[in-house]
Structure formats: C-alpha cells, structure tokens
Amino acid sequence: MQYLAPTSEDEVVAALAQADGRARILAGGTDLLVQMKADMIAPDILVDIKRIPELREITREGGGWRIGAAVSGAEFNERADICADWPGLAEAFDLIGSTQVQGRCTLAGNLCNASPAADSVPAMVAADAVARIVGPSGTRDLPVAEIPVGPGRTSLAAGEFITSIFLPARAPRSADAYLRFIPRTEMDIAVASAGVSLTLDDNGSCVAARVALGAVAPTVLLVEEAAAALIGTKLEGAALAALAQACESAATPIDDKRGTVAFRKQVVGVLARRAVKIAQDRASGKGAGERA
Amino acid sequence: MSKIHVKTRINGEAAEFLCEPDETLLEALRDRLHLTGTKEGCGSGDCGACSVTVNGRLVASCLMLAAEAEGAEIGTIEGLAKGAELDVLQRKFVEHAALQCGICTPGFLVASKALLEKNPDPTEEEVRYWLAGNLCRCTGYDKIIRAVLDAAAEMRRA
Amino acid sequence: MALDEYEKRDFRVVGKRMPRPDAIDKVTGRALYGADMHVPGMLVGKILRSPHAHARIKAIDTSAAEALEGVRAVVTGADFPEIAPGEARNVRDNAMARDKALYDGHAVAAVAATSAAIARKALKLIRVEYEILPHVTEISDAMKPDAPVVQEGFVQENVPEGFSDNVISYHQYGHGDLDAGFAQADKVITRRFRTAATHQGYIEPHAALASFGADGTADLWVCTQGHYYVRQLCAEILQMDQAQLRVTASEIGGGFGGKTTCFIEPVALMLSKKAGAPVKLVMTRQEVFRASGPTVSSEIEMRMGMTKDGRITAAEAELHYQGGAFPNITVQFGAMAAFACYDLQAVQTRGYNVLTNRPKQAAYRAPGAPMAIYAVESVVDELCQEFDLDPLEVRLKNAARKGTKASYGPTYPDIGLVATLEAAQAHPHYSAPLGPNQARGVACGFWFNFGGDTSVSLSVDFDGSITVTEGNPDIGGSRVSIAMMAAEELGVPYESVRAVVTDTASLGHNEVTDGSRVTFAVGLATIKAARAAKREMCRRAAKIWGIDEDAVIWEDGCAKPAGPNAGKFEPLSIKEIAAKSSRTGGPIAGHHEVNAEGAGVSFGVHIADVEVDPETGHTRVVRYTVFQDAGKAVHPDYVEGQMQGGAAQGIGWALNEEYIYDENGRLLNPGFLDYRIPVASDLPHIDAVILEIPNPGHPYGVRGVGETGIVPPLATLSNAVSRAIGRRMYELPMSPPRILKAIKGG
C-alpha cells in the first residue's frame, strides 16, 4: 500500500485517475481504518486530503456556509456562528463517535461511508446541503440526498471526490434539529434517527419543512409526506401525529443486531415528532431546546 | 513496500521513525518508539485506551496512520508529568483511587487533560460525555469523574 | 472451618486510605502490561480462527505459509502431544482445534513471523479444508435428544435420561418437603427467565510472550489472574516439568475471572519452541470476544410460594446453563447460590450443564450466581407486588442469618445480610421521592468467597524495611491492602512496607486470583508470616539481651521484656533488630503456606431508581446505591471500587450486553461498538455503603468483596424497570426493543 499526502485538489484528481479504482480518500479515517483492519477493504493507495489548505476551511458563501471536506467535527463545533445557523446539524455532526473520533471525523467522510445510520446525513439532507464534487471531468454540485445509493455505495463516479459541503443561507425563523435513538447515551450507531429543518412565519405557522430519516431504509430517506404534514400547521397534536404516521409508513427498516423492524418504525416517528418540537422552539426563539 | 520516514515532535521533543504506510500511529508509538504507556484496547476507536493529542487535538491513535503524523506535535501519557512532578490530574487519580487495573488510566488522563484545557470548569455531565469514548470496566467511573472534577477545581484555584 | 481466627482490635493502618504502591506507575504509563514487553529477537505470533460454528477439519495445508520469507514457525493441533483427559486437555483443545472446529473463532493454526504484517500474510496462505457440520448455540436446542452433539464423551453418570449428549452434568441441592411447603403458600407462581451470555469486557486483550530455551526450560510473561495455574496447565499441555517453566505475571488490565485460565499461552510456547526464538502473541479485541471465555447464558424455571404476609414457604429452581463447547462447573455454583440469601424450610435447585457451539466459558465475577439470583429476586419482587408488601421487609422476614441452614448445605456462622438489609431500609435513598416514569427496584446478592492455596514470604530487610512477596496478580489494589496488613501486624509505618507479586520460580504455589480470595487468603498468610517474623525478632532480642526468649513480647512494633522479672531493657525496634540480624543468626524473614479456609460469605443489597422512556423503551439509571458487608474494609477506597465496578458491570448485563449469533452460529458483535458496556455518561454516581460484620475466619475479620457486587444489579434493574412500565420483564438484557415491546403489550 501507498500513502499519498497531496497539497492540491489537482494532485488528488491525478492520483485517483492513476489508481484506477484502487485508491481511497483518507479524510478523518475513522471508518476507513476500521474497515482496512477488519479486512473489509484493501486499497492500494490512500490519498490523504488533510494537507490541502482549502479543504480545511469553513467559509461564508452567499449567506450560507461552505465546509471543507477535511474539517473535523471538533473544528466545526467550535464555530459558534455556524452552530447558531445549523444547531441540528452541529448536534448530528457532534454525535459521530467519541470525543477522540470528533478530532478526526468529517461530514464528507460520514457521507461517503454511505451508512444508512450515518448521523450527519439526515441532518444534511434536512438542511438541503449540497456536495461539491471534483473529478476528472471537472467540478459539479450534487444534493447530499443524492450521494448515497445503498449501504456502502455512493453515486460518485470513478476518480471523483467531495471537496466541500455547502449549507444554504437561512431564512428568518428557521431552525433545525436532529435526534437519534441509541441504547446507551454515547458510542453507539443510530438505531433510528430523524433530522428536521423548519421555517415558521410570524404567526408561528410552518411555511417550509424538510424531514429526513436515518437507519430505517437502505439510504437516508427524505420524507415529503412528513414535511407536508407540517406545512401550514402550528406544529400541534394532529400535525405531529400525521408526521409520525408518515415517518412510520415511509420507513422500511430491517431486523439486525441493533434493533427490530417494529422498534425502528415506532421509534422513528417519535424521534421526528420530538425533533420538530425542538426545531420549533429554536425557530421561534425559545432557546436552543433540549439536547437529546 | 518501502517504509515512510516520519518526523514529529513527541511530548515536546523531536522524534523520528520509519513506518509502513498502513501502520497506525499507535503501532509506531508502541512498537517503534517503545512508548508503551499508550494502550491498545480495541484497535477500532471504541475504547479510548490509545488516546493521544495531535497538534493539541484529542484523537484515537489506533485510527490514525503513523504517516499522517509527519510534522505534527504528539502528546502522550509519558509527557503528562513534568519530570518527577505529577500533573494535577495524575495526582487526583491517585488520591481518589480512580484506577483499579490501570489499563484505561493513560487514556483517561490524556482525554481529561484535553477537556480541562478546553473547559476548565466542566459540569459532571460534561465530564461524563467528554469521556464517554474512554471505557473503564473496573470502576463504574464514579471515582474517575470525582477525580477529574476535583482536578478541575484545584486547577481553577491555582 | 477455621472460625476462631478473628480477634477484635483497634486498627492503626487497616481501614485508612493509603496510597497504593503501583499507582504512580499506572498514572505515568510506566507500568508494564501483557503486551508492553519487548525482548531482543522477538517474533510476532498470530492465530488463524475458524469462520464456522462447527466443522470437521479435513486437512490443513501450511506449506505456503511456511515458505513465506520471515515466517519462522507454524503450529496446528497436530503439534501438541496427547495427554490424559482433564481440564488441561480441554484447555489445549480450546487453544488449538484438533479434529473439529467447535465454534466461530476457534483457533485452527498459528504462525510466528518477523513482523505482524508477515504473520498476517502467512495466515492468509494457510488452506483449511472444512466439512461444515450442523451446529447448535441455544440451550433448549442443544438439550433436545436429536441435537447435533458438540463433543462426545463428557456425559456424567448422574445426568437424567431424555437429553442429547450435550447435557453433560447435573447438580442438585436443597432440603425439606417441597409439596408441604407449597401447600402452605397463599400464592405459588412459576416463571421462566432467560439471560444472554455476557463478556467480562476487560480492556486489556490477552497477551503472552513466550521464550523457550534449547535446554527445554521456558519463560512466559503473561497477563493473567493466576500465573501458577498457567504454569500448571502449560506444563501439562507441553509435557514438561512445572519447575522448568517460569511464569511471570505482568500488570493485568482487568480480568473479572476471564483471565483465570489459558487461551493463547500454550500456543505462544509451542510457537517459540518450534521457532527457537521468543514469540509475542496478543489477541485483537475481536479475538477476545470470539475466542476468550465469556460467561454462560441461562434458561431458568423458578417456582416460589409465599404467604400473604410475606413468608416464603417453598421454592425450587431448574437452571439450564450453556458455557460453550467444553465442560465447566458454573451451573453448580448457580444451583448452590440461588437461594443462599434465604432461610427456607423447603428448597431445591437442579442444575444442568449444556454444551453448545460457542466459546469455552470462563469465570465471570461470582460465576453462575448473578443469573440464578436474578430469577429468585425477580420472583420475590413479583410476589411482593402481588401482596402489596414492602420488598425489603419481605426480604428481612426471610433473610438468612446466623444458624440458618443454607440451601447448599452449610449452616451459616455470623453473616451480614440482615444488617445490610436494615442499612438499605434506613438509607435516604429508599424513601426518596420518584419522578414521572421512574420506579425503584431492590434485590439481594450473595457470593461464597474462596480461600485456597497461598504462600507468602515476608522479609525484614537489614534497614528494617519490609518486603512482602506474594504470588497473586494485583487486579484492583491488593498490593496496598496486603502491605497495610503487614504494617498493621508488625506495628511499622505503612511506608516502610512494599508488597511485590513475584514469579512462579520465586515462591510456593498460589491459587488463582479468583473467588475474591486475595485480600482474605493472602492477607491471612501475610499476617501469619508477619507473626512468624515477630517471633523470630523476639528470639533475636532475647539473644541480644541474653534472656530467655519466652521473656520477650512484641508490642507497638518493638520487642520488649515481658515483665519486670524479665529484666530492664529498652525496647528494640525492628530497625535495631534488623541492623544486628547478621550477627544474631542471619537474615530475618517470616513465611506462611496454607490452604486457607474460613473465607466468610458475603451479602449485598442494591437499590436502583430508573426512568423508562415510555415511547422508546430507553432506560436511564437515575440513582444507584450499593450496600455490602466487607467484614473489615482494609482499604475502603478499593472496597468501594469493587462495589461500584460490580454494580456497573451488572447494570450493563441487565440493560444492553449480550452475545448475538446469526443463524450460522457466527458472533455478530465481537467489538465494543455493538457489545455495549456502560460508558461514563450512562451511569450516575454509584453510592457505596460498606458494612463491617467481621468474618470469624480471618484475624482482622476480612471478607472478600470482589464479586457480590455484580449479583444484585440484574434483578435490581429488572424489578425497577418492571415497576416503571407496569409489566414484568423475564429476559436479559432489557434492551430498548424488548422493553418497548413489553410496554406495547407484546
């Protein structure tokens, strides 16, 4: 195996092109190294992208935020400004692994690992985040929701890699929230999860919503019916019940060592409902809401 | 497979070593540099026994390649005491009997040090969540948490 | 039993919180554990393991691995000599499969190479031809007459008819007339319980460094709870004299019973023997879960009768335990311990030990007791609810006390259960208010405690400082307790005593660090060794003074004339006697060798408050208090530590920990990610209340404290959760899907 640490995106593109599919991108490495040690993958080349300066940066762009692909969870969460805009995504990112893992893990890595249970992905999908992809045929932008196509599989073409994640500008009275269920309080993979992003009007009615669910389908689900149940309501009893029902119906989970089908379906609706209440409190200025 | 030459600073001193491209920082510390205070409990980032700091940031050294350490400032348990003088945290761990078998202790100390540098006045809940990635099977964490909180209090008084 | 050892006294050192001698090494990273040792010319060993739960090994081709540059030895089952049936043979066959792979993870070959990378590569070059056989991992399946048989030849004569040959031993205990007892009850209930296999979860993986000399002698550096037993097993497996194998115990990174036997040590020795070089063999975490020794899983049927005022009239239990592919005695302990907390007129337990295609179990903290007592304490709690009785009152009404004939045979001397229950009842926790979705659970626990073969040597060094040499790995602060007892007995400052754990060549035999025996038995032997040294120092003083040695007594750390008639001499301190020892007859030492009896039984009571999320089934432990009888707490910090640590492990067992197998018998969760031990944020502070009811079998009244703490939490949590959700739980772990299913009426 070869280890490369290029200092520009072009070098990465060239290295990936030469490697003919036998290379892997190393960002935080918190999934990659585990998989290598477990003999699940055996790449010939690792391309470490952490020495590319622009990939380590968080920048303002058109009222939104561009997060470099090598920015770690710990670096992200130290930025009060971005956390104020996207508290739900900040929480989701922060929930990936331990403090030690936070020192390394990245949004792009969490996304490209393509686990249906990835914590940051439902929050990014709810946020309508967009990934910037660089490859042999140039640069393209793709909604985060379209990147995972199945467990462990992405829509990236050969030789492509993600250089940044873009979070759009926030409308007034908007907020997001993310909740996951795990058996312990930390260190587990999500058994079910829900990310919600909302915008309210002056009267507290919901005018825009996105609801994304994790660990209940082969990929993270964006549930339009769940959002529809919220829009035009004050996010009270009937709307929340309809939201939970829509989430339960959309979920197609499996039985595995982490949970059952019945459990995941029941719990994902509960999480979505609770996440809506947290996002609502935040959007209406009632503070940060309770942390899961 | 040719080896990679890595130059780093470990606990404030220049250190260099040769490593395989797929070798972890933990393996290099233990097997190349014989800094065996950093422990391997799982090799998959789930136990925290291999905690070190890299450029001041807490990481699991089993989940980082040794080659990535090029140019980095590494902090390990061996660097916590200043010569014969124990760090406050080390002293408090001894005082509070915050260790039984002691295998997790270096990881807890390195992680706790990183916490108190970032947050000198953590709540009990903050300590527990910060240290959730450090597994201890002997103590039920009770005396560890007390030791960290007491160390924080003493450091604030100092 | 030696029940006349205890003498009431005022303690000077014992009971204080002294700094432990190994603490500085452990907070600075200097302490050397199993994997920390490097020696020149050392090779790296790796083990190839079966991916199948049950398979005949038709052929193993190691030629490609042997041909790989850097590979210095390859070992398979065929390398080990034939030995007589018994535990050493079981350990050998578990360390390296012979004809059959008996579980997912069973070792089938090993290599030693010049680097880890080469060793890993060599493993991939070994070709094993398997014939996959039907497997069985669950107890009830394995007991069926037509079940696949894991191993033939282990069935004992007294096993009842009607089962497969996987049912290999049967144990029955009890007394009284069950029918008459049940007839007196106002209510009799029968309930079935299941507990999953759990792992000790020590953070340090097994590690051994073996060095076999050309002269047939060998050295082994190993993390173990018992290096003498490692020597005994390995010497038999390698067919060498025990004296030719010197075993040194490293610092040990947790064990909890799981390091009381051998898994990789015979393989490391055989690799070293074949390679002619030292070999270090360290398990990965995955190997620890797949191929070390988790505890048993259980299926238990419990029947109990109670009067409406809370008197248990009769009780019986049938325990089915599986502990993997080899024999063990865990179900026997379970059958003995089940009803040990109660004074019962009619009681019976029946235990069945069942083989399955799972790893060979090892001891885990109070082996066999937690699951049996979980079932007993759950049924007691359910009957308390039935009659609306206070659960501690009912336990007090039925509690075993001095003179009670225990269900497993003996009649108890002074024991601490009643005092422990009363302390729990009086504690503010028991009457504290509860919040919404919260409930409180209580349960009792018990462990026998062991004594056993013990050797201690105590040297009075020329400067008057004291070295205590003992042979039990220090797993949680035993060196400090032993040094404190030596200081207490000799009347010297604690700081002048150092306790060291020595190797097998340097001291007589010591049983494994197990059964909570060390502070009791090694402490007892240390006190006796100190007394021998004091007698010798009195003799030396007599010689110095030129008086009769009967005229010298030992008091306050000095030799003194026994009375005015003995003569008028200034007391001689240890320092003074030691300084002259070369001229008064040579070095002074005391030693004591004993098969220690009189380890007092230990009882505990736990109280837990839990909060269950009614919509997700998530359980949060809100408050937890442990009450336990320590006899005499030599070092209260480390007694509390044992109580807290045992409780934390029990909480994990109750809520989330389990071995999960797929339909092919493969372990699905061999890592700390999905084998979910409690993390710091899962637990509240665990309050520890120590009671001291002296053990008559120890000079200072000490009882073992290491194991009882893991026994009560299983039922304590189950009782609390059951009360919180209004439905009774009968299976562990109480993972959220199981609790939510119960809430929804599943």
Side-chain angles (χ1 to χ4, degrees):
Chain A
M1 200 197 80
Q2 219 188 336
Y3 166 84
L4 302 175
T7 53
S8 74
E9 290 177 13
D10 289 347
E11 287 173 77
V12 178
V13 172
L16 293 181
Q18 271 186 355
D20 195 23
R22 292 170 295 109
R24 294 291 293 258
I25 296 288
L26 171 62
T30 51
D31 287 311
L32 189 71
L33 263 65
V34 174
Q35 290 164 10
M36 282 168 60
K37 284 191 197 179
D39 265 341
M40 290 160 67
I41 54 167
D44 288 342
I45 301 170
L46 286 188
V47 184
D48 183 353
I49 57 170
K50 289 189 293 298
R51 293 184 192 267
I52 304 169
E54 58 270 34
L55 269 52
R56 310 277 320 237
E57 287 170 4
I58 296 175
T59 46
R60 268 281 181 200
E61 186 178 307
W65 297 96
R66 184 164 294 285
I67 320 298
V71 171
S72 71
E75 289 163 346
F76 183 98
N77 265 283
E78 281 165 10
R79 289 287 297 264
D81 47 5
I82 190 165
C83 291
D85 270 7
W86 295 101
L89 176 58
E91 276 171 0
F93 198 176
D94 186 46
L95 284 172
I96 300 171
S98 60
T99 316
Q100 287 82 347
V101 166
Q102 281 294 307
R104 303 261 297 164
C105 68
T106 65
L107 289 176
N110 201 221
L111 179 59
C112 290
N113 189 48
S115 160
D119 280 310
S120 72
V121 180
M124 284 197 281
V125 169
D128 207 4
V130 176
R132 176 153 296 169
I133 298 164
V134 170
S137 40
T139 299
R140 63 184 178 118
D141 287 346
L142 191 66
V144 160
E146 292 173 37
I147 296 214
V149 293
R153 291 186 298 117
T154 71
S155 59
L156 296 188
E160 287 190 324
F161 75 109
I162 293 176
T163 57
S164 64
I165 304 286
F166 179 71
L167 302 174
R170 286 311 247 161
R173 290 176 303 282
S174 296
D176 66 339
Y178 172 80
L179 290 176
R180 67 168 182 191
F181 182 84
I182 55 171
R184 292 182 287 188
T185 52
E186 264 286 2
M187 300 305 289
D188 290 329
I189 304 292
V191 181
S193 65
V196 173
S197 180
L198 299 173
T199 301
L200 308 180
D201 67 13
D202 287 341
N203 300 319
S205 289
C206 178
V207 293
R210 285 173 68 89
V211 178
L213 308 180
V216 291
T219 60
V220 169
L221 291 179
L222 179 67
V223 187
E224 309 276 2
E225 299 77 9
L230 301 176
I231 292 169
T233 77
K234 298 235 177 188
L235 308 172
E236 287 161 349
L240 294 174
L243 160 93
Q245 188 54 52
C247 291
E248 274 191 46
S249 302
T252 57
I254 54 167
D255 280 323
D256 67 9
K257 61 189 170 188
R258 292 171 186 151
T260 60
V261 168
F263 180 78
R264 287 183 157 114
K265 281 178 84 79
Q266 284 163 9
V267 168
V268 80
V270 172
L271 295 173
R273 179 161 48 74
R274 292 178 180 178
V276 165
K277 295 309 285 179
I278 296 170
Q280 180 188 22
D281 281 352
R282 288 172 176 166
S284 50
K286 286 187 196 155
E290 226 178 293
R291 171 96 184 239
Chain B
M1 192 155 74
S2 61
K3 290 198 169 75
I4 299 173
H5 180 199
V6 178
K7 285 192 217 170
T8 66
R9 294 182 68 79
I10 299 179
N11 300 325
E13 284 180 7
E16 50 189 299
F17 55 86
L18 293 175
C19 67
E20 304 290 348
D22 60 354
E23 196 171 314
T24 63
L25 176 60
L26 174 63
E27 289 164 329
L29 288 171
R30 289 181 52 85
D31 300 335
R32 307 256 177 218
L33 300 163
H34 292 188
L35 290 169
T36 55
T38 306
K39 306 300 181 189
E40 174 161 352
C42 70
S44 53
D46 299 311
C47 81
C50 68
S51 296
V52 301
T53 55
V54 176
N55 297 327
R57 190 72 76 184
L58 183 68
V59 303
S61 60
C62 75
L63 289 190
M64 173 171 167
L65 294 177
E68 294 181 71
E70 172 64 35
E73 191 78 46
I74 313 280
T76 73
I77 183 65
E78 287 89 352
L80 205 54
K82 300 278 168 285
E85 189 194 337
L86 296 183
D87 184 84
V88 181
L89 275 160
Q90 291 171 310
R91 202 155 35 72
K92 291 297 176 187
F93 267 57
V94 176
E95 255 176 58
H96 286 266
L99 57 144
Q100 285 177 34
C101 82
I103 193 86
C104 69
T105 308
F108 267 98
L109 286 165
V110 170
S112 302
K113 183 81 181 165
L115 168 65
L116 298 189
E117 277 173 4
K118 188 184 159 83
N119 178 2
D121 191 9
T123 63
E124 180 191 330
E125 192 184 14
E126 283 168 339
V127 176
R128 287 186 182 274
Y129 274 87
W130 180 274
L131 294 175
N134 289 82
L135 299 182
C136 170
R137 192 60 158 171
C138 293
T139 63
Y141 304 102
D142 190 287
K143 293 179 190 296
I144 294 174
I145 303 301
R146 291 178 198 277
V148 175
L149 288 169
D150 192 21
E154 182 170 319
M155 285 163 73
R156 288 195 304 274
R157 284 194 301 269
Chain C
M1 284 208 289
L3 295 176
D4 53 352
E5 293 281 355
Y6 176 67
E7 285 173 56
K8 196 170 162 47
R9 62 193 289 153
D10 293 324
F11 291 103
R12 190 177 49 84
V13 181
V14 163
K16 299 213 162 64
R17 298 174 193 250
M18 297 306 196
R20 60 191 267 188
D22 50 321
I24 304 296
D25 280 358
K26 286 177 177 170
V27 299
T28 55
R30 180 167 171 260
L32 292 175
Y33 292 82
D36 295 340
M37 184 62 90
H38 289 255
V39 296
M42 188 176 81
L43 304 175
V44 179
K46 296 271 175 205
I47 293 179
L48 183 68
R49 297 184 179 277
S50 168
H52 306 298
H54 196 191
R56 189 166 306 289
I57 299 170
K58 297 176 76 178
I60 303 181
D61 180 358
T62 59
S63 55
E66 280 160 16
L68 184 68
E69 188 177 342
V71 172
R72 300 274 289 276
V74 180
V75 161
T76 67
D79 287 296
F80 290 90
E82 200 43 72
I83 57 174
E87 185 56 11
R89 194 170 80 171
N90 296 338
V91 167
R92 178 200 68 182
D93 293 350
N94 185 47
M96 191 57 71
R98 290 169 94 79
D99 308 328
K100 289 204 298 184
L102 297 168
Y103 56 90
D104 167 41
H106 197 173
V108 294
V111 302
T114 50
S115 76
I118 294 171
R120 274 194 292 269
K121 197 170 169 189
L123 290 188
K124 289 181 184 159
L125 295 173
I126 296 173
R127 294 280 163 264
V128 185
E129 198 185 327
Y130 294 104
E131 176 196 340
I132 296 175
L133 302 172
H135 72 277
V136 61
T137 53
E138 300 306 315
I139 295 169
S140 42
D141 296 340
M143 293 179 79
K144 287 177 187 153
D146 59 346
V149 174
V150 176
Q151 288 207 79
E152 297 282 3
F154 286 118
V155 182
Q156 292 178 0
E157 277 178 7
N158 68 339
V159 174
E161 300 274 315
F163 302 110
S164 76
D165 280 3
N166 293 321
V167 181
I168 58 167
S169 69
Y170 175 77
H171 311 272
Q172 188 177 318
Y173 294 91
H175 56 249
D177 183 341
L178 286 176
D179 290 339
F182 284 123
Q184 290 165 24
D186 291 312
K187 177 94 181 176
V188 177
I189 61 172
T190 303
R191 298 288 182 262
R192 289 190 178 80
F193 297 87
R194 289 162 58 92
T195 66
T198 56
H199 195 276
Q200 300 83 355
Y202 35 82
I203 307 300
E204 181 199 29
H206 297 261
L209 198 173
S211 182
F212 221 103
D215 59 355
T217 66
D219 282 283
L220 188 64
W221 162 273
V222 58
C223 68
T224 175
Q225 290 175 243
H227 42 311
Y228 291 84
Y229 187 52
V230 167
R231 178 178 71 160
Q232 191 180 328
L233 287 171
C234 290
E236 187 173 350
I237 290 167
L238 278 93
Q239 292 287 285
M240 60 195 291
D241 287 345
Q242 289 187 28
Q244 300 305 319
L245 174 59
R246 182 171 64 172
V247 184
T248 305
S250 68
E251 291 292 344
I252 179 169
F256 317 105
K259 291 175 183 168
T260 54
T261 183
C262 292
F263 296 101
I264 56 171
E265 295 80 356
V267 179
L269 281 162
M270 188 57 80
L271 283 169
S272 174
K273 189 177 183 182
K274 281 188 93 170
V279 174
K280 180 153 89 176
L281 194 49
V282 181
M283 271 191 176
T284 63
R285 176 54 53 183
Q286 196 187 47
E287 286 180 291
V288 172
F289 277 111
R290 287 172 75 205
S292 67
T295 189
V296 302
S297 62
S298 75
E299 296 178 1
I300 299 173
E301 188 171 292
M302 186 67 58
R303 187 172 172 224
M304 184 174 282
M306 192 182 275
T307 61
K308 58 182 186 299
D309 62 351
R311 179 75 207 169
I312 302 170
T313 60
E316 63 176 328
E318 183 158 309
L319 317 173
H320 299 170
Y321 286 11
Q322 74 72 34
F326 295 88
N328 64 78
I329 55 169
T330 302
V331 80
Q332 188 178 352
F333 289 143
M336 290 168 74
F339 295 104
C341 292
Y342 296 113
D343 181 6
L344 301 176
Q345 298 307 306
V347 59
Q348 188 182 78
T349 53
R350 301 177 296 277
Y352 291 80
N353 184 18
V354 184
L355 298 183
T356 61
N357 293 110
R358 295 201 194 198
K360 183 180 190 292
Q361 70 102 52
Y364 181 19
R365 209 167 200 159
M371 33 312 234
I373 289 178
Y374 152 65
V376 172
E377 292 295 280
S378 293
V379 169
V380 170
D381 199 61
E382 193 173 335
L383 286 167
C384 290
Q385 281 187 296
E386 170 74 26
F387 294 124
D388 198 20
L389 298 171
D390 178 88
L392 286 180
E393 278 296 341
V394 167
R395 284 172 173 86
L396 271 168
K397 183 169 272 191
N398 295 283
R401 53 194 81 209
K402 186 174 183 175
T404 294
K405 182 177 167 56
S407 56
Y408 64 98
T411 299
Y412 290 126
D414 280 328
I415 57 171
L417 179 57
V418 168
T420 310
L421 284 163
E422 285 169 349
Q425 212 172 25
H427 194 277
H429 183 174
Y430 195 58
S431 49
L434 291 162
N437 300 317
Q438 294 185 355
R440 179 164 299 140
V442 299
C444 299
F446 159 87
W447 183 244
F448 307 93
N449 290 335
F450 299 169
D453 287 317
T454 307
S455 307
V456 165
S457 172
L458 183 150
S459 143
V460 180
D461 301 319
F462 285 150
D463 61 357
S465 62
I466 307 295
T467 305
V468 182
T469 306
E470 49 129 343
N472 276 96
D474 178 353
I475 203 156
S478 58
R479 271 168 293 194
V480 65
S481 302
I482 287 156
M484 286 167 72
M485 284 184 271
E488 183 75 49
E489 189 63 32
L490 292 169
V492 298
Y494 164 76
E495 294 71 21
S496 68
V497 183
R498 183 169 182 211
V500 295
V501 179
T502 195
D503 64 76
T504 56
S506 308
L507 187 69
H509 190 88
N510 283 279
E511 199 181 295
V512 173
T513 296
D514 70 355
S516 301
R517 70 174 220 92
V518 174
T519 308
F520 165 74
V522 179
L524 181 138
T526 300
I527 292 165
K528 298 282 175 88
R531 288 178 182 172
K534 288 196 297 192
R535 282 193 299 275
E536 182 59 25
M537 286 189 283
C538 287
R539 272 194 289 274
R540 302 297 177 91
K543 206 167 180 179
I544 292 166
W545 291 328
I547 62 175
D548 193 72
E549 65 183 65
D550 293 340
V552 182
I553 57 161
W554 192 265
E555 217 175 73
D556 301 329
C558 294
K560 293 177 180 169
N565 296 340
K568 201 167 156 51
F569 302 102
E570 283 301 304
L572 280 172
S573 69
I574 288 188
K575 260 190 194 324
E576 290 164 321
I577 296 169
K580 292 181 176 154
S581 59
S582 190
R583 283 168 278 150
T584 57
I588 298 169
H591 62 97
H592 192 75
E593 293 76 30
V594 64
N595 184 348
E597 293 186 0
V601 296
S602 157
F603 294 92
V605 176
H606 291 197
I607 307 176
D609 296 353
V610 303
E611 181 175 316
V612 181
D613 183 333
E615 290 186 314
T616 66
H618 190 275
T619 300
R620 184 167 72 90
V621 182
V622 179
R623 184 169 180 185
Y624 204 97
T625 310
V626 180
F627 304 84
Q628 191 175 315
D629 172 18
K632 175 69 198 171
V634 178
H635 193 306
D637 275 340
Y638 293 102
V639 173
E640 290 162 5
Q642 290 297 322
M643 292 160 69
Q644 293 164 333
Q649 285 185 318
I651 291 167
W653 196 336
L655 293 181
N656 283 309
E657 294 181 33
E658 59 180 320
Y659 265 50
I660 306 170
Y661 282 93
D662 72 6
E663 66 278 10
N664 297 315
R666 293 195 178 114
L667 182 62
L668 287 171
N669 57 337
F672 281 132
L673 182 62
D674 286 305
Y675 183 88
R676 305 183 188 100
I677 76 172
V679 302
S681 48
D682 291 340
L683 297 174
H685 276 303
I686 297 170
D687 290 324
V689 178
I690 299 172
L691 290 111
E692 296 186 325
I693 292 87
N695 169 22
H698 187 279
Y700 296 170
V702 169
R703 296 174 197 271
V705 296
E707 284 161 292
T708 303
I710 201 175
V711 180
L714 281 61
T716 302
L717 270 284
S718 185
N719 293 342
V721 168
S722 298
R723 285 169 183 262
I725 66 172
R727 285 173 193 271
R728 184 57 51 178
M729 300 296 290
Y730 298 105
E731 186 170 4
L732 301 183
M734 294 179 291
S735 53
R738 240 174 228 155
I739 291 178
L740 192 60
K741 199 172 163 191
I743 291 171
K744 304 261 175 191

